[in-house]
Amino acid sequence: MTRKVSSFVSSLLIGSMLFSSTSGAVPSSNADEHWAAKELQKWTSNGLLKGDEKGDLHPDKAITRAEFITLINNMFGFKPPSVARSFPDVSSKVWYASEFQKAYDSGIVLGDENGNMNPNANITRQEAAVISARLFVLLDVGAPSELIFNDSSQIASWAKSAVAALEAKHYIAGRSNNEFAPKANITRAEAVKMLDNIMGEIINKPGTYEGDKAGNLVVNTADVTLNGMIINGNLYAAPGVSEGDLTLSHVHVKGDVIVEGGGIHSVHLDDSNIQGKLIILKKNAPVRVVTSGSTDIGQVVISSGATLENHASHAIPTVVITGDDVVGKAVTLTGDFVSVDVQKKVELDFGSGTIKDIVVNGQASITGSGEIVNATINVNGVTIEKTPANVKLMDGVTATIGGVITGSVGNGGGAIGGIGGSVITPQPPIVAYGTWGDSLADSSVPQNVKSYITEIRGVTNPLGGQKNVITDDLFGVTPNVFPIQLGANITTSYMDSNKNLWMGTTTNLIYRDNATGAFKEFGADVLGYGNVDMIIPDELGGVWALVGNVEIPTTPDTPVDYSNTKVIHITKSAVSN
């Protein structure tokens, strides 16, 4: 693809025809017997198309970008921006100035490298196909190998998938001799015919609607209720729905539901069935989608900021959060879900309900009190506020789980689906283990802590404090900040690399945060026994504390009694909350 053509196709994501929207206009006789007369009359009657000052549609004339953009603005109901924009080659006085402002604000056009819109340039058939396929989210349908036109070899590589997608659905046809004529300019009639084939039927007035639809359905206005309807294609909640409501009650959609409009008061799905996907991709503002009753959706794809509340009688099987427009946006989930795949960096709020399996492939921040059973994390920088029941980290990945920095180190790399990585069951902020002796046999206690216990237990009499004072000679650990100072009741201490200070005393354990100067104290309710004999860092910001009231025998050969001892793990989250 050349840069010039690529820029045009990506900037003109969609288009319209020549005319502004005026309902009730009747095309003149120049279209009455035209091969596209039915579609031209339909679009005129629906207020999507109007002719010139004489009512002439000039159906066989090539369509310009300004005309094509206007036609699509009318069909999807794009709204003007709150702040007007200007373009070098679009005067504010021309009839299509507002059309380009709407199209630019909606991401339909971006202009060339100089910001020009080229409003009077014509559009080729392959360019119109690409624009239409993107507009109607059809690029995943069909494949270049399925092209049947005699001149398929002349279709540009960047247009083949779009042309194949439209042809697979019978939305486009060739000209004479089964030629697509990709580089020929598309006429006004051809543009209307192609867009009408894809659109199917349109609802552009508020109200309640019933009756089955043979193909796709576009809703481009607010306050619409669809009741007891079977839609044999896709349903498009177009941008024209804006911040209003759309309700589906007992509706069966055999294709996808694409939500590009609707506000915080919602798109409602009540006792409805979506055979395909529910795709949420509203630009510029979030939308709320609510399910209830027996509503059944196979898969939800969230590609923009959105709230999805599942109040239906069963869990939604799959939610995928993906797409460039969702990056950095807020996504809210409520209810029960079987699988959630987070592919982008998002702020995910899971307020209530249960997610059985969540896979995180984007640097997400997950907050809320909802229950997560299994979490698989494949990238660094993920945070999950509430600790899942089980966490699997890809090898070498570090995440913050329940306020605790958790890491996984393995040999050979991790992957989704259980290949490599480490399965971690995160612990509560404070965990009390058994006596020093019992802890030696506990697999949950790390080996370095057991080494300290073994060293201390090896001293028969007296226990003394020397082992607390200088530990680096024995195990390579930073010495205590304070030597034993019984007069001050300080028995042991530890300062980490950030100069956060832990101090053990004869009655409690004290933490001082260097950044804030705040103190946190753990007393008898946590320690149980009084004296803190040793503090051992856990390398994640927390500590292991060896606590006990050890009776020192009066005779040299009498063993020390360690029955009143215990091992306590205080994680970073215990001092972060």
Side-chain angles (χ1 to χ4, degrees), residues 258-573:
I258 296 92
V259 178
E260 297 180 273
I264 59 173
H265 298 294
S266 314
V267 175
H268 299 268
L269 307 174
D270 182 37
D271 292 322
S272 295
N273 175 263
I274 300 175
Q275 254 178 255
K277 301 174 183 177
L278 169 64
I279 303 172
I280 303 173
L281 41 69
K282 183 185 177 186
K283 293 180 178 291
N284 302 327
V287 62
R288 177 171 172 254
V289 178
V290 181
T291 67
S292 59
S294 61
T295 293
D296 185 23
I297 306 172
Q299 182 179 28
V300 179
V301 178
I302 299 177
S303 296
S304 62
T307 294
L308 174 61
E309 298 181 12
N310 181 27
H311 301 301
S313 57
H314 53 275
I316 292 177
T318 305
V319 175
V320 180
I321 301 174
T322 188
D324 293 339
D325 288 333
V326 79
V327 174
K329 301 293 178 59
V331 175
T332 300
L333 298 180
T334 301
D336 294 339
F337 305 89
V338 177
S339 173
V340 175
D341 182 1
V342 183
Q343 298 181 359
K344 297 293 182 178
K345 181 179 180 180
V346 295
E347 302 289 330
L348 175 59
D349 179 20
F350 182 41
S352 63
T354 300
I355 296 175
K356 182 178 180 292
D357 297 295
I358 186 168
V359 177
V360 186
N361 293 304
Q363 198 178 70
S365 172
I366 303 172
T367 60
S369 57
E371 300 288 338
I372 298 175
V373 180
N374 302 305
T376 300
I377 302 173
N378 297 309
V379 294
N380 287 314
V382 174
T383 63
I384 302 179
E385 181 182 30
K386 183 173 180 179
T387 305
N390 299 288
V391 177
K392 175 182 172 59
L393 295 174
M394 182 179 180
D395 288 342
V397 167
T398 299
T400 302
I401 310 296
V404 179
I405 300 175
T406 306
S408 172
V409 178
N411 302 313
I416 302 172
I419 304 174
S422 301
V423 176
I424 300 170
T425 302
Q427 296 176 322
I430 301 174
V431 181
Y433 295 88
T435 67
W436 295 359
D438 294 338
S439 296
L440 289 173
D442 192 330
S443 61
S444 300
V445 178
Q447 187 58 47
N448 69 319
V449 175
K450 293 179 181 180
S451 297
Y452 280 100
I453 295 172
T454 301
E455 180 66 22
I456 292 177
R457 281 169 54 87
V459 179
T460 55
N461 183 32
L463 179 61
Q466 287 75 18
K467 298 298 181 185
N468 308 53
V469 180
I470 303 294
T471 58
D472 58 336
D473 291 340
L474 296 172
F475 305 108
V477 175
T478 303
N480 290 354
V481 177
F482 304 105
I484 282 186
Q485 298 182 26
L486 294 178
N489 291 328
I490 298 174
T491 58
T492 185
S493 61
Y494 166 72
M495 180 179 286
D496 64 23
S497 60
N498 294 318
K499 296 185 179 181
N500 299 313
L501 178 62
W502 295 84
M503 293 180 290
T505 74
T506 55
T507 58
N508 54 23
L509 178 63
I510 301 169
Y511 170 81
R512 181 186 182 276
D513 187 290
N514 180 54
T516 65
F519 283 85
K520 189 150 188 176
E521 184 174 335
F522 303 93
D525 56 330
V526 172
L527 305 180
Y529 311 111
N531 197 67
V532 180
D533 289 289
M534 184 171 284
I535 297 171
I536 307 162
D538 68 1
E539 298 183 356
L540 294 174
V543 295
W544 293 81
L546 306 186
V547 181
N549 285 326
V550 180
E551 295 294 332
I552 306 299
T554 57
T555 59
D557 297 327
T558 304
V560 180
D561 182 7
Y562 295 102
S563 60
N564 288 331
T565 61
K566 76 166 60 171
V567 176
I568 298 176
H569 186 202
I570 300 178
T571 67
K572 179 65 175 178
S573 62

Side-chain angles (χ1 to χ4, degrees), residues 6-14 65 107-112:
S6 174
S7 174
F8 165 68
V9 173
S10 62
S11 64
L12 255 186
L13 190 64
I14 249 165
R65 299 187 188 189
I108 296 173
V109 296
L110 300 177
D112 61 19

